[in-house]
Amino acid sequence: MKILVTGGAGFIGSNFIHYIMKQHPDWQVVNLDKLTYAGNLENLKDLEGQARYQFIKGDITDRIQIGSILSQGIDVVINFAAESHVDRSILDASPFIDTNIKGTQVLLDGIRQNKIEKYIQVSTDEVYGSLEKGKATETSNLLPNSPYAASKTSADLLCRAYWKTYGLPVMITRCSNNYGPYQFPEKLIPLVISNALEGKDIPVYGDGLNVREWIHVKDHCRALEAVVLKGLPGEIYNVGSNIEKNNLELVKFILKTLGKPESLIKYVTDRPGHDRRYALDAAKIKNELGWEPLMSFEEGMTATIKWYIDNKAWWQRIKSGEYAGYYERMYAGR
Ligand code: NAD
Ligand code: TYD
């Protein structure tokens, strides 16, 4: 099997590629990534030179490039490529519309024109909006509140339309908040760990009582693998852990584990339109595909905190802007 992973140099995509290369020694992986500020080839350094792995610098909005890659015998496409940070989408929605919506359309058109067995759209619980109580199922209303969430919802609706109209073999996964190795340190968990290790303030938005459902990235990768192997065209699968934490609980857990004082916490102005709570009902993927999360919160967080302690150079380079230009340096003269 030959899979095209788009956005594979980012957080979840790079974890997925590592996972797949290990689990499926007979699969070939093509990683297409634009290498925006969030894409980092250092995440995949150990795979360089392996015959089963190929990196292509490219953009999912580039019709010609996508058409050419898809015509070269790809079996499955899994689309991670996105602008992914809510705060950035509040400052400027334009790149979110381009990559998350237009890019998805270009991929879907490419799937239409080529014989691709499966297309998997990696979506998010944020499409359901904020839930005061209860859990979102795959048929719950779509009520996105941030430009990021609206762009992901739009992409999901395009996927649905291409399935209904053209019968494309499209599957959508909607996962809750991920954490784990290689997460860009603008997101809450790596930001808190790295700031705490540097003795810097931890910015907590509003009252710190917003709730997220946290899942270890490896459990998400396992769910995506199950969808690649057993998912059905036209279906949507929620991927959740049932582990709900408010932001303060989470921050305090990290500070305690690191032996750092709670006085580092600084309450800052809330994010506009800040969703209070996300929560997923993930019964469908469990019942239909036999997937369930394996990692407890304590196990996943302890391993993650250790990873950021052991890989200080990785996030210090990002925070200092030092890794910019890594691609050009690595591929110079090729
Ligand atoms: P990320 O920001 O770490 O990585 C995104 C990757 O996409 C980067 O490598 C970037 O260079 C690449 N990219 C951006 N624009 C591109 C373009 N036009 N063409 C090709 N590549 C491009 O994001 P992530 O956290 O790894 O998220 C991956 C996917 O999973 C996204 O679609 C996101 O919406 C979804 N998701 C994320 C979470 C989460 O908690 N992080 C939860 C649910 C779903
Ligand atoms: P984030 O990691 O940006 O994920 P999302 O907004 O997509 O769920 O944020 C997780 C939660 O943490 C969210 O409620 C916003 C909050 N937050 C802070 O309190 N401080 C911060 O510095 C960041 C980045 C997030």
Side-chain angles (χ1 to χ4, degrees):
M1 173 130 76
K2 189 170 180 181
I3 61 171
L4 172 65
V5 174
T6 59
F11 163 46
I12 306 174
S14 60
N15 275 282
F16 181 75
I17 292 175
H18 280 125
Y19 178 76
I20 285 299
M21 291 288 287
K22 204 167 161 197
Q23 291 296 119
H24 299 279
D26 53 334
W27 289 15
Q28 282 175 272
V29 176
V30 179
N31 172 17
L32 175 126
D33 198 293
K34 185 178 175 181
L35 299 182
T36 66
Y37 78 95
N40 184 354
L41 287 180
E42 248 193 283
N43 302 358
L44 298 154
K45 214 173 185 166
D46 51 326
L47 300 179
E48 279 165 31
Q50 287 206 29
R52 292 193 293 123
Y53 170 74
Q54 184 193 0
F55 173 73
I56 300 172
K57 188 178 182 192
D59 189 331
I60 58 164
T61 66
D62 182 339
R63 265 179 200 279
I64 295 172
Q65 188 180 31
I66 293 299
S68 147
I69 294 167
L70 290 178
S71 67
Q72 290 166 25
I74 299 287
D75 301 303
V76 171
V77 176
I78 173 153
N79 180 28
F80 294 91
E83 289 294 332
S84 68
H85 192 41
V86 172
D87 293 324
R88 286 179 189 256
S89 80
I90 295 168
L91 292 174
D92 179 11
S94 302
F96 291 74
I97 307 304
D98 288 341
T99 288
N100 300 4
I101 307 177
K102 264 186 77 180
T104 300
Q105 185 215 351
V106 167
L107 288 171
L108 291 168
D109 283 340
I111 308 292
R112 247 189 102 193
Q113 281 146 17
N114 294 279
K115 228 177 139 275
I116 308 295
E117 280 170 36
K118 278 184 179 178
Y119 172 83
I120 292 141
Q121 176 73 4
V122 182
S123 187
T124 163
D125 59 358
E126 303 198 22
V127 301
Y128 300 117
S130 195
L131 276 80
E132 284 300 321
K133 52 182 174 19
K135 289 172 180 289
T137 69
E138 289 80 355
T139 54
S140 293
N141 287 338
L142 299 175
L143 294 167
N145 292 317
S146 69
Y148 162 69
S151 68
K152 293 296 290 185
T153 309
S154 307
D156 284 12
L157 295 179
L158 275 175
C159 290
R160 173 189 158 83
Y162 274 64
W163 149 247
K164 284 278 177 188
T165 307
Y166 307 112
L168 289 200
V170 174
M171 278 138 266
I172 298 170
T173 58
R174 293 183 179 144
C175 191
S176 62
N177 280 58
N178 284 222
Y179 66 93
Y182 302 113
Q183 186 166 30
F184 197 86
E186 67 185 350
K187 303 282 167 61
L188 182 68
I189 288 179
L191 180 95
V192 173
I193 300 172
S194 60
N195 276 17
L197 287 171
E198 291 180 310
K200 289 186 182 161
D201 288 352
I202 313 280
V204 169
Y205 299 167
D207 61 8
L209 298 180
N210 302 67
V211 173
R212 297 291 184 265
E213 181 174 341
W214 292 100
I215 187 169
H216 191 277
V217 64
K218 190 169 180 190
D219 277 330
H220 186 189
C221 293
R222 291 177 42 256
L224 292 167
E225 177 194 37
V227 175
V228 170
L229 294 172
K230 296 180 270 184
L232 295 179
E235 295 296 330
I236 299 169
Y237 301 97
N238 284 348
V239 181
S241 63
N242 255 324
I243 301 168
E244 292 188 35
K245 300 280 172 206
N246 72 43
N247 295 338
L248 266 182
E249 277 178 274
L250 187 62
V251 169
K252 287 181 180 172
F253 178 92
I254 295 170
L255 291 175
K256 195 171 171 207
T257 308
L258 289 173
K260 299 285 179 181
E262 289 186 7
S263 57
L264 286 177
I265 295 173
K266 292 286 171 303
Y267 291 92
V268 300
T269 311
D270 208 354
R271 171 189 278 173
H274 194 177
D275 284 333
R276 196 64 172 166
R277 174 174 171 265
Y278 301 135
L280 288 173
D281 178 335
K284 177 175 170 178
I285 188 166
K286 183 177 179 189
N287 295 336
E288 296 184 10
L289 305 187
W291 171 88
E292 55 186 339
L294 298 178
M295 201 87 84
S296 72
F297 177 75
E298 286 69 23
E299 185 194 355
M301 280 299 297
T302 307
T304 300
I305 292 169
K306 183 175 181 320
W307 189 88
Y308 285 90
I309 293 172
D310 293 345
N311 290 276
K312 258 195 192 130
W314 179 86
W315 54 262
Q316 280 173 339
R317 268 197 290 280
I318 293 176
K319 282 191 155 182
S320 69
E322 201 190 306
Y323 91 103
Y326 179 83
Y327 172 83
E328 282 71 18
R329 285 199 300 279
M330 194 174 67
Y331 286 87
R334 286 199 204 170

